[in-house]
Structure formats: structure tokens, C-alpha cells
Amino acid sequence: MIPPQEASARRREIEDKLKQEEETLSFIRDSLEKSDQLTKNMVSILSSFESRLMKLENSIIPVHKQTENLQRLQENVEKTLSCLDHVISYYHVASDTEKIIREGPTGRLEEYLGSMAKIQKAVEYFQDNSPDSPELNKVKLLFERGKESLESEFRSLMTRHSKVVSPVLILDLISGDDDLEAQEDVTLEHLPESVLQDVIRISRWLVEYGRNQDFMNVYYQIRSSQLDRSIKGLKEHFHKSSSSSGVPYSPAIPNKRKDTPTKKPVKRPGTIRKAQNLLKQYSQHGLDGKKGGSNLIPLEGRDDMLDVETDAYIHCVSAFVKLAQSEYQLLADIIPEHHQKKTFDSLIQDALDGLMLEGENIVSAARKAIVRHDFSTVLTVFPILRHLKQTKPEFDQVLQGTAASTKNKLPGLITSMETIGAKALEDFADNIKNDPDKEYNMPKDGTVHELTSNAILFLQQLLDFQETAGAMLASQETSSSATSYSSEFSRRLLSTYICKVLGNLQLNLLSKSKVYEDPALSAIFLHNNYNYILKSLEKSELIQLVAVTQKTAERSYREHIEQQIQTYQRSWLKVTDYIAEKNLPVFQPGVKLRDKERQIIKERFKGFNDGLEELCKIQKAWAIPDTEQRDRIRQAQKTIVKETYGAFLQKFGSVPFTKNPEKYLKYGVEQVGDMIDRLFDTSA
């Protein structure tokens, strides 16, 4: 049971809480009433505001729509005015631009092209909107006049500023590839940069807006003329330089400034001059021959103009390649891409045809020279053909994209030259074999025949053109292997050819030697020629070339030389036989000689003396140009004769076989030796 005090306390506590709750409830009621009142006031305000907005909207919307319509009308008016201004401007284009078009584009290309753009737009406008308008005809006429002026300006710029490339610059351009010391590339400026830019702009306008390709014809005609004249100028430079100084040269060296020219010999291709120099070297060593009978025109008498023509043509071929490359670079900037190949093809035709025609003339001249047996002239084909074949890869690259007829011109010329070259080689070999024996033209002293020197000189020349000559021979082969011949195959063909020429020469020399009545002179003649051939082979690469197919050639010539020496030595038997031991009388020392024995001894002395004098007189006029061989033959003969005569003199010199010993004992042993030492010496 709860005590009364606690119950009383609990009741008071509950009553206090109840009172507090009642107060809270009263506060909440008051707050709700205030909130209701505020809500009513807000609703009233919003209702009033909504009513006012509706009134405002009803009055503003019509005004807005009216304003919007007015703005649209204003914009339409402005656009209409703008269109009118634009249209009206087309009607003024003719009058605004007529003066500029009439005065032309020279010196004011930018302004001129701007005017042409305006005229073109006017033409397009009238064509679309008023095709029957007289204004269309007016602007069309003005446009055509302007286009013609641009075409004329293009022609004028190309004509005035396209210059022939000087020979000096071309030679520097050519030698630049081979000159290892050259530090600067030689460049060609066909047109000044400002002019080039104007030409490019005009060409692009004519293609894009002018719808005209005639300017491309103008371009290639002008540049074609300059290219052709540049190459012809180089050729004339060679002729003038050769006539004044004998050696064409390029005065400019790439490393040096162009205003300080220095003479610089042009690298000469392998011409006949090298073989002539070899012949001179052999002459210094006593190997040169004297002129004898031969229907070959002597190579050493060859006209230097052939060298000039050959060098000029070779350099013109190189010049064409370089200049054509440069022309294509220029053309690529000016002519549209899809017209470049065709225009370039037309541009190079005159110069290329000129080169090909000159090449065919060389072939024709070679063909005529073969008929005349003038093989020195034919040799001009060799350096030219070699150069053409060396240059062919560059030619092919330059002519990429041109017509097939253009590309085939060089291969056709190469084939013609290979054919005529092979013909020349064949005829030369036949001519060596069939050169007639003309007694009145044979060397009286038995020296080297001109046929021999010419043949060796010709073969020496082939050394500079081994691949070219081998290819000529291979081109005439019909075997399947020849269609894809190797350098080794060509070398073997050339070796076989040289051996054939040498074989023909040897047969002809044997035939010619029979012209001499004296077998000894015949032997000296063959000795001199064989020795000349052998020494010439040894002093050059010919011996290695011969050895490709004939290993024993050198030994064979030495055997022939020795054989002729032995034949010559037999000519002295008629002298030494008089005093040979086997032909001498036998007598007892201290026993008086009988008349018959004395007579025999006299006959022996007289026969020896007369034979010695006769041989020395005859053989002194003979010649052995090779000093070494001459001394060797003299020494060998001197040894034989001195030994035989010495033994004879020792045996009979003191024998009283005559009352006039000075009549028979005319020469001492040393005197005989001195007489033999003067053999083969026309100056003695």
C-alpha cells in the first residue's frame, strides 16, 4: 500500500504535467488560428495578383505580336535592299573593271585576277537570272578579253624570262655528278622566282576558271625551243673551243664563285687519242713501224674533228638528261598533274629528235666509213654507244610516262650502233686478212708494216670499250645464251675476236713476207712484226684478254720470233761457210803449200771478205726498231762470225799463201765485229 505522502506527491506531479499540457495545447490552438488567418490573407493576395496578371496579359500579347510583325517586315526590307545592292553591283561590274582589263595584268596580277573574279561572278549571275540580258553579253565579252590578256601575259612572261642555259653552266651541271670535290649542287633557275609565281597563278586560273589548255601548248613550245637551243649551244661551244684552244673546257668550278671562272678541262670520254698516245709510247721504245702498204686508212692520221664531234655528242646526251630533268621539275609547278606527262613528252621531242637524228647520222657515217675501210671513223661509235648505255637508266627515268614511241628512240639508236659496231669489227677482221700484198708499198727495210700498227692500234682502242665491244659481238649471236649474255660471255667473245684478228694478221704478214726476194729480209720483216705485236700485247691488257681463250699466245709469238731469228742467221752461212773448218784444206805445218792449196785459201779469204762486205752493205739498210732485239741479234751474229773468223785467221793468217797478204787479210776480228755492230743502222 502506497504511503499517503507519496500519493499526494504523485498527484501534484500529475497535476503539474496536466497543467503544462493544457498550456501547450492552448499555444498550439492560438498558433493554428494565426496560421489560418495568414493563409487566408495569402490566398486573397494571390487571387488578386492572378487577376491582375490576366488583365496584363490580355493587354500585352497583341502589342507583342504587332511588334514582332514589324521587326519581320524590317528584316525583309533590309534583305531586299541588300539583294538589290548585290544585283545592282553586277550591272556595274563591266564599267568598274573595264579599265583594269583593258590595261592588262602586267605588274598588277593580283588586282587583275580580283577583277576577273568579279566578272566571272557577274557572268554566272546573268546566266542564271537574266540570260537574255544585254549585260550578260557585255560581261562575257569582257571576261573573254580578260582571259586572252592572261594568256598573252603567260606567253609574254615565258618568252621574256625563258633563257638559253649557257654551255658553261651545262658543263658544270654535267661534271657535278663526277666531281668528288664539288661541295655545291649546280642548280638551274629557268625563271626568276617572282615570275615563276605569276606564271603558276595564271596557269592555275586558266585551268580552273578559263577552261583553256592552249597555254600548255604555248608553254611546251617555248620551253622546247629553249631546251633545243641550249643543247645546240653546247655543241657550238665545243666547236669554238676546239678551234681556238684545241680542248673544250668549262670555265666554272662549282666550288668557286661564278664570277671568277677558271679553266677546267672537260672529262673526255675514251676516244682514239688514248690509243695514239700508246703508239707514241711504243715508238719511244723502238717499237713503232714505218708506213708500208695497207688499204687501211692510218689511225694516227685521224682527223681531230672526229674527237670533237664525239665529245660534243656525248656531252649533249648528258646535257639532255640533266636539262630534261630540270624541265620536268619546272613543268610540275606550272602544268596540272594530269597534263604533265603529255606536255613533257611534247616539250622534249625536238631536242630528243635532234639527238637521235645526229646519232643516226653517226651510224650512217660509220656505215660509209666501213665501205672505205676507214675504221678510225667507225671507232667514234664505241665511246658514244658506251655512254648511251651508261646513260640509259637515267634516260628511262626521265622518260617515264611518255609515249612508247618516245621511250623506244634511245633503245633503237643503241641497237643501230651495236649492229654497225659489230659490222665494223667483222669487216676489220676480214680486211686484216685480205689486205693485198703490194710490193711497191712494202717497207724496204723490213720494219713493222702499217697494217700491223693499225691492227694493234685498233685492238688497243677496244681495251677502253671491252664491255661495249663484247656486247656488240654478243648482240649478233643467235644462240639462246646470247639473249641474256653475261659480262664473262662478252669478254670471251671479245677475246675470241682479238685472237681472230691476230690470226688473220699473222697469215697476212706471212703472205706479205713472200714479196721480199731475200729470205733474210723476209725473216727480219716477220721478226719485227711479231716482236711489235708481242711487245704491244705485253705493254697493255691485251695479253690478259687474249689469254682468256688462248693461253699459249705469248709463248707462240716468242717461238715465231726465235724461228725468224734463226732464219735470218742462216743468211750468214754463205759467209761463214767459206771459212768453216769442214771446208778448209788440210796441210802439214812447215810443208810448202801447193798452188792448189794456196788458191783454195785465197778463195776462202776472198769469199769471206766479199760476202761480209755485201751483207753488211745490204743489211745496214735494214731496220730492227726494237733496241733490245737489235742488240741481241747483232751480238749473237757477231759471236758466231768472230769465232769462226778468228779460228780461220789463227790457222791461215800466218801461212804464206800469197805475196799480197793485205789483199786477203783485209779485216781483223774486231773489225769484223765493228762491221756487224753497224747492221740495221741506217745512220751509221
Side-chain angles (χ1 to χ4, degrees):
M1 189 172 177
I2 301 174
Q5 292 180 348
E6 290 183 4
S8 177
R10 284 284 301 272
R11 190 171 52 249
R12 283 195 300 272
E13 183 178 351
I14 291 169
E15 290 175 353
D16 290 338
K17 286 185 179 181
L18 182 60
K19 186 178 181 180
Q20 289 178 359
E21 291 295 334
E22 289 176 351
E23 291 176 356
T24 300
L25 181 60
S26 177
F27 176 75
I28 290 172
R29 285 195 184 103
D30 292 340
S31 296
L32 285 173
E33 289 177 357
K34 290 180 180 180
S35 178
D36 288 340
Q37 185 62 40
L38 290 173
T39 299
K40 289 179 180 179
N41 292 337
M42 180 58 69
V43 169
S44 176
I45 291 171
L46 289 175
S47 297
S48 175
F49 185 69
E50 181 180 8
S51 176
R52 292 179 180 180
L53 281 177
M54 288 179 67
K55 291 179 181 180
L56 180 62
E57 182 179 352
N58 291 332
S59 60
I60 289 299
I61 286 177
V63 174
H64 173 72
K65 288 181 178 181
Q66 186 177 5
T67 302
E68 188 178 42
N69 290 333
L70 290 174
Q71 288 177 341
R72 189 178 298 109
L73 289 173
Q74 183 179 2
E75 289 176 0
N76 290 337
V77 170
E78 290 176 353
K79 288 180 179 180
T80 301
L81 291 174
S82 176
C83 288
L84 286 173
D85 289 339
H86 184 66
V87 170
I88 291 171
S89 69
Y90 289 132
Y91 285 87
H92 292 291
V93 164
S95 58
D96 292 343
T97 59
E98 185 175 8
K99 181 180 179 182
I100 297 175
I101 299 303
R102 185 175 61 251
E103 292 176 352
T106 303
R108 44 196 265 175
L109 182 61
E110 189 72 30
E111 182 183 6
Y112 194 89
L113 292 178
S115 297
M116 288 298 293
K118 293 179 181 179
I119 296 172
Q120 184 181 5
K121 289 179 179 179
V123 171
E124 292 172 353
Y125 170 79
F126 288 119
Q127 284 178 336
D128 293 339
N129 297 279
S130 184
D132 298 328
S133 171
E135 291 296 330
L136 175 60
N137 293 330
K138 186 182 294 185
V139 291
K140 266 188 175 182
L141 184 62
L142 197 59
F143 182 82
E144 290 300 321
R145 188 189 305 169
K147 185 171 71 172
E148 291 174 0
S149 295
L150 284 173
E151 293 171 357
S152 177
E153 178 70 4
F154 182 90
R155 180 189 293 273
S156 176
L157 289 174
M158 291 299 303
T159 303
R160 284 188 288 115
H161 297 282
S162 291
K163 305 297 182 183
V164 173
V165 183
S166 71
V168 170
L169 190 55
I170 294 176
L171 289 173
D172 286 339
L173 188 68
I174 296 172
S175 62
D177 290 344
D178 301 324
D179 193 350
L180 298 178
E181 298 178 357
Q183 300 296 320
E184 299 177 6
D185 292 332
V186 180
T187 57
L188 297 179
E189 185 182 68
H190 295 291
L191 297 173
E193 183 61 28
S194 60
V195 174
L196 176 61
Q197 294 305 318
D198 285 352
V199 169
I200 291 173
R201 291 205 62 188
I202 294 174
S203 70
R204 290 178 179 174
W205 188 93
L206 290 173
V207 171
E208 186 174 356
Y209 303 109
R211 305 291 190 272
N212 192 324
Q213 298 179 7
D214 292 344
F215 77 95
M216 299 181 196
N217 297 332
V218 171
Y219 177 86
Y220 90 70
Q221 289 168 1
I222 293 173
R223 294 308 307 170
S224 175
S225 174
Q226 300 303 329
L227 175 61
D228 192 40
R229 290 170 60 194
S230 297
I231 294 176
K232 289 179 179 176
L234 177 63
K235 184 177 180 181
E236 292 175 2
H237 172 75
F238 268 82
H239 293 162
K240 291 179 181 177
S241 298
S242 63
S243 62
S244 60
S245 63
V247 179
Y249 63 88
S250 165
I253 297 178
N255 284 341
K256 297 184 178 182
R257 293 178 55 188
K258 293 291 183 284
D259 56 354
T260 57
T262 303
K263 286 190 177 181
K264 168 185 171 185
V266 175
K267 294 184 178 180
R268 301 179 65 79
T271 60
I272 192 68
R273 188 169 288 112
K274 181 176 180 180
Q276 291 173 335
N277 292 336
L278 287 171
L279 185 62
K280 292 177 182 177
Q281 294 174 10
Y282 298 157
S283 177
Q284 294 171 0
H285 290 84
L287 288 176
D288 195 9
K290 296 180 180 179
K291 289 187 178 180
S294 172
N295 66 347
L296 289 173
I297 295 178
L299 297 184
E300 60 268 26
R302 182 176 183 266
D303 190 354
D304 283 345
M305 282 306 296
L306 288 176
D307 277 341
V308 174
E309 291 291 342
T310 301
D311 290 347
Y313 185 73
I314 286 174
H315 283 83
C316 285
V317 169
S318 295
F320 172 81
V321 172
K322 294 298 181 184
L323 292 176
Q325 289 173 341
S326 181
E327 286 292 344
Y328 193 82
Q329 293 173 356
L330 177 67
L331 176 144
D333 290 332
I334 298 173
I335 304 300
E337 184 175 359
H338 54 287
H339 292 286
Q340 289 174 5
K341 295 295 184 182
K342 182 179 179 181
T343 304
F344 180 71
D345 195 342
S346 301
L347 188 155
I348 63 173
Q349 284 304 313
D350 286 349
L352 182 58
D353 286 344
L355 286 177
M356 296 302 106
L357 177 60
E358 191 172 349
E360 290 298 339
N361 289 339
I362 292 171
V363 172
S364 178
R367 188 175 292 110
K368 295 176 182 177
I370 291 175
V371 176
R372 301 193 308 269
H373 298 150
D374 179 10
F375 295 99
S376 61
T377 300
V378 178
L379 282 173
T380 58
V381 171
F382 285 72
I384 292 174
L385 177 58
R386 180 178 65 180
H387 187 71
L388 289 179
K389 296 180 80 170
Q390 290 174 344
T391 313
K392 187 176 181 298
E394 288 185 272
F395 246 99
D396 293 341
Q397 184 177 9
V398 169
L399 300 183
Q400 278 184 353
T402 57
S405 59
T406 303
K407 294 177 182 176
N408 293 334
K409 288 181 179 179
L410 180 64
L413 179 59
I414 289 176
T415 300
S416 296
M417 287 194 170
E418 282 189 332
T419 302
I420 199 65
K423 172 68 173 171
L425 293 175
E426 178 185 351
D427 281 26
F428 181 81
D430 291 342
N431 205 76
I432 291 294
K433 181 179 180 180
N434 301 319
D435 186 67
D437 305 326
K438 296 179 181 178
E439 183 176 353
Y440 60 88
N441 272 334
M442 290 291 288
K444 305 301 182 184
D445 56 3
T447 190
V448 178
H449 198 280
E450 187 179 20
L451 177 70
T452 303
S453 60
N454 279 347
I456 293 299
L457 190 57
F458 186 89
L459 296 179
Q460 290 285 1
Q461 181 63 12
L462 294 185
L463 284 176
D464 285 337
F465 310 102
Q466 294 183 40
E467 291 186 8
T468 304
M472 285 177 176
L473 296 169
S475 68
Q476 304 305 303
E477 291 291 313
T478 56
S479 62
S480 58
S481 60
T483 57
S484 58
Y485 55 85
S486 64
S487 59
E488 183 59 30
F489 177 75
S490 299
R491 184 174 173 83
R492 289 188 65 83
L493 283 178
L494 184 58
S495 175
T496 301
Y497 171 78
I498 292 174
C499 291
K500 176 183 177 181
V501 171
L502 293 175
N504 290 349
L505 177 61
Q506 186 173 338
L507 291 173
N508 198 309
L509 290 173
L510 281 171
S511 176
K512 289 183 184 301
S513 68
K514 296 175 183 178
V515 171
Y516 296 109
E517 296 180 358
D518 191 335
L521 180 56
S522 178
I524 290 297
F525 171 76
L526 289 176
H527 163 273
N528 284 333
N529 282 273
Y530 291 157
N531 183 63
Y532 178 85
I533 294 170
L534 177 60
K535 291 295 178 69
S536 299
L537 294 177
E538 290 177 334
K539 287 181 177 293
S540 67
E541 297 178 14
L542 276 174
I543 193 65
Q544 289 91 347
L545 200 53
V546 168
V548 172
T549 55
Q550 192 171 344
K551 305 292 185 184
T552 61
E554 186 174 0
R555 185 180 67 189
S556 177
Y557 274 110
R558 294 193 187 281
E559 291 174 354
H560 288 317
I561 291 170
E562 291 302 319
Q563 181 181 350
Q564 298 309 318
I565 292 175
Q566 293 172 13
T567 301
Y568 162 75
Q569 288 176 340
R570 284 197 290 272
S571 69
W572 282 82
L573 289 177
K574 63 182 180 180
V575 177
T576 56
D577 276 353
Y578 282 105
I579 57 175
E581 182 71 27
K582 63 181 180 179
N583 295 326
L584 295 179
V586 179
F587 63 91
Q588 297 294 328
V591 178
K592 185 178 179 182
L593 295 174
R594 290 176 293 182
D595 291 342
K596 183 179 180 181
E597 291 174 337
R598 285 196 298 270
Q599 186 61 32
I600 291 175
I601 294 173
K602 289 179 182 178
E603 290 175 354
R604 297 292 183 267
F605 268 107
K606 185 177 186 306
F608 174 78
N609 292 337
D610 292 347
L612 176 66
E613 291 169 356
E614 181 184 1
L615 283 185
C616 287
K617 179 181 178 181
I618 294 173
Q619 295 185 7
K620 188 177 78 168
W622 297 355
I624 300 179
D626 187 336
T627 305
E628 181 182 343
Q629 285 291 314
R630 183 169 65 239
D631 292 343
R632 176 192 168 201
I633 292 174
R634 283 173 176 171
Q635 186 60 42
Q637 199 59 53
K638 186 168 63 172
T639 300
I640 295 172
V641 176
K642 284 178 67 176
E643 287 179 356
T644 306
Y645 183 63
F648 176 76
L649 202 60
Q650 184 178 5
K651 189 171 185 178
F652 295 100
S654 58
V655 174
F657 65 92
T658 181
K659 294 180 181 180
N660 300 308
E662 67 279 359
K663 180 179 177 181
Y664 299 98
L665 299 174
K666 294 175 66 174
Y667 304 107
V669 174
E670 294 303 322
Q671 281 182 291
V672 171
D674 291 342
M675 292 172 70
I676 295 174
D677 277 337
R678 290 194 290 274
L679 298 178
F680 317 117
D681 187 0
T682 56
S683 64

